[in-house]
Amino acid sequence: VVVSCRTEAWRRLEQHFRGVGQFYRTDDGVEVRLPQFTEDELPDVYGKYQRSYDLKANFSGLTDTARRFIADPLMLRFVAEGYRGQELPRDPRSVDVFDSYYRDKVGDGDDAQMDRLEKAFVSRLVELMYQARTDELSERALSGDEQIGQAVLASHDVNSPYFRLLDKGVVTRVQVGRRGYGAAALFGGGPAEPETRVQFTYDRFFEYLLAYRVIPGEPTEQRVRELLAQAETHRYQSLWGALKARLLGHLERAPAAASPSGVIAQLARDADHSMRGLLGDLLIAYGQQRPSRTAVLLTETLLQSDSESSGLVVIIAGHQLEMPEVLRQAFLHPSALVSQMAMQTICFYCTKHPQEGDV
């Protein structure tokens, strides 16, 4: 049995697995992490997507920013589908790529009524999932919803928005229960009998939709705290992902978000462990796409604060992104704990990269 999930989900769900001691172990633990495409792999992989999706840009013409962006296998898929037959953006941003994917997959530009029905179905599905604090819902339960129930009952009708969204791969059906292979069998609970559930095909697309459902305007410190508390209380991984997606989009579109008075700096002062984890995940994702901007955010915004929590967030991101200069500056932080953690992380980095000498 192979269990597949995202890294963020694994960190938080591993402790809840039944029989975790029976998992096959590697030298690094019970999990095998799938990394981003390497510099050697990316040209060949991109070439295959270019041919399949008629992407107009050759790999040699892509900017360094675009190459870093599509090194994430899932984002390469979203870029390919969202920009089929087009040039790729020189400076791709996750929120723009998801917007493009939404425009391509949800709605119908030639049929105004179907366009409205498909968008209304997706909006209602996101709303129901948020209300239930889940990322999948019983098809039977959906069929009883006043707003989209008729579309679900007509799932075999090619004119049903539900059928069309299934056909386009926006949503998918999953069988769970005794004869299925849903997460319930691993975590306990769930239906005793086989049941058809509905979920979005891509977790990150659902999180993007959920992100702008729960924070339609500019993210505020108070709102992020409220939603993070909900995510922790209900163990709602998708809401955690939505917060990360919303803050990442805010960083991408609003330069002020990275300023000392911006929401990232405000949240980084929070001593809550979950908040540090969320910001660490956020800054790692941002750093993989835009390392120079992230280094500036870490050193010129977060490290300029005397906050111990801000310093620890810098250590988390600087370690995962392997930014020795950021870690060296963190060593000078007034907090003894931050300085000590920075020194330990620098020593680990030097052990891993002995050819680089002293940091």
Side-chain angles (χ1 to χ4, degrees):
V1 176
V2 175
V3 180
S4 174
C5 70
R6 293 164 56 195
T7 302
E8 296 91 337
W10 175 255
R11 290 198 203 111
R12 293 165 182 80
L13 298 181
E14 180 182 10
Q15 58 183 315
H16 303 297
F17 273 103
R18 292 180 173 180
V20 68
Q22 300 177 32
F23 283 180
Y24 177 80
R25 299 193 68 85
T26 69
D27 291 340
D28 298 323
V30 298
E31 75 273 8
V32 176
R33 298 174 185 262
L34 301 180
Q36 295 192 335
F37 293 125
T38 65
E39 292 183 3
D40 293 333
E41 295 170 336
L42 191 56
D44 182 55
V45 173
Y46 176 78
K48 294 177 181 178
Y49 273 86
Q50 183 184 16
R51 292 188 292 274
S52 296
Y53 291 88
D54 189 28
L55 302 176
K56 299 305 181 184
N58 292 324
F59 185 79
S60 60
L62 298 180
T63 63
D64 289 342
T65 301
R67 293 182 186 188
R68 284 193 296 267
F69 192 87
I70 63 173
D72 180 331
L74 185 58
M75 294 314 294
L76 174 55
R77 177 63 179 266
F78 276 114
V79 166
E81 296 211 25
Y83 293 90
R84 185 192 300 265
Q86 304 176 50
E87 292 282 350
L88 270 61
R90 293 184 58 79
D91 185 20
R93 298 179 295 186
S94 61
V95 65
D96 295 333
V97 170
F98 285 128
D99 283 349
S100 178
Y101 180 84
Y102 178 87
R103 290 193 300 270
D104 180 65
K105 292 291 189 178
V106 181
D108 188 329
D110 298 323
D111 185 331
Q113 182 179 12
M114 184 56 66
D115 186 75
R116 178 181 59 79
L117 289 173
E118 284 191 24
K119 290 175 179 176
F121 189 99
V122 167
S123 177
R124 181 59 175 167
L125 186 58
V126 171
E127 177 65 26
L128 292 173
M129 287 180 173
Y130 176 56
Q131 290 177 3
R133 303 297 191 267
T134 185
D135 60 0
E136 61 179 23
L137 290 169
S138 161
E139 193 174 57
R140 183 184 301 114
L142 285 175
S143 67
D145 184 72
E146 292 183 357
Q147 296 184 33
I148 63 174
Q150 288 302 313
V152 175
L153 289 171
S155 62
H156 298 294
D157 182 353
V158 295
N159 293 314
S160 161
Y162 181 45
F163 176 93
R164 289 166 59 93
L165 291 167
L166 284 167
D167 185 58
K168 289 188 284 188
V170 175
V171 296
T172 189
R173 291 173 166 139
V174 178
Q175 297 294 321
V176 299
R178 284 180 182 168
R179 298 174 195 158
Y181 298 94
L186 293 167
F187 292 103
E193 297 300 327
E195 179 180 71
T196 300
R197 292 189 177 182
V198 181
Q199 61 185 209
F200 284 91
T201 302
Y202 298 111
D203 290 342
R204 275 197 263 181
F205 182 58
F206 169 54
E207 290 168 1
Y208 153 79
L209 296 171
L210 181 59
Y212 286 86
R213 158 62 184 80
V214 296
I215 308 181
E218 184 173 311
T220 64
E221 183 180 2
Q222 179 180 353
R223 184 58 174 159
V224 173
R225 291 176 193 271
E226 291 172 354
L227 292 169
L228 182 59
Q230 289 182 25
E232 292 297 302
T233 299
H234 298 282
R235 292 180 181 173
Y236 191 17
Q237 178 60 33
S238 293
L239 184 54
W240 175 289
L243 284 172
K244 175 183 168 183
R246 188 65 186 88
L247 290 171
L248 180 59
H250 189 49
L251 272 175
E252 291 174 330
R253 284 185 165 175
S259 70
S261 60
V263 67
I264 303 301
Q266 295 172 9
L267 293 171
R269 299 187 187 99
D270 194 322
D272 180 70
H273 178 75
S274 295
M275 183 64 75
R276 285 204 297 270
L278 172 64
L279 293 180
D281 283 353
L282 165 68
L283 293 170
I284 291 166
Y286 190 55
Q288 288 171 339
Q289 298 176 10
R290 291 170 171 78
S292 298
R293 294 183 192 178
T294 304
V296 171
L297 170 58
L298 295 176
T299 57
E300 297 186 9
T301 296
L302 299 189
L303 282 181
Q304 295 309 307
S305 167
D306 290 340
S307 164
E308 183 173 272
S309 293
S310 297
L312 293 175
V313 170
V314 171
I315 299 296
I316 294 171
H319 169 60
Q320 291 295 327
L321 295 170
E322 296 193 336
M323 293 182 167
E325 177 57 26
V326 169
L327 296 172
R328 187 191 68 79
Q329 293 191 41
F331 174 70
L332 304 175
H333 196 276
S335 164
L337 176 59
V338 173
S339 181
Q340 180 183 11
M341 293 294 294
M343 175 56 72
Q344 292 176 357
T345 308
I346 289 170
C347 291
F348 178 82
Y349 178 87
C350 290
T351 301
K352 186 177 179 181
H353 303 278
Q355 71 279 8
E356 295 190 19
D358 295 334
V359 176

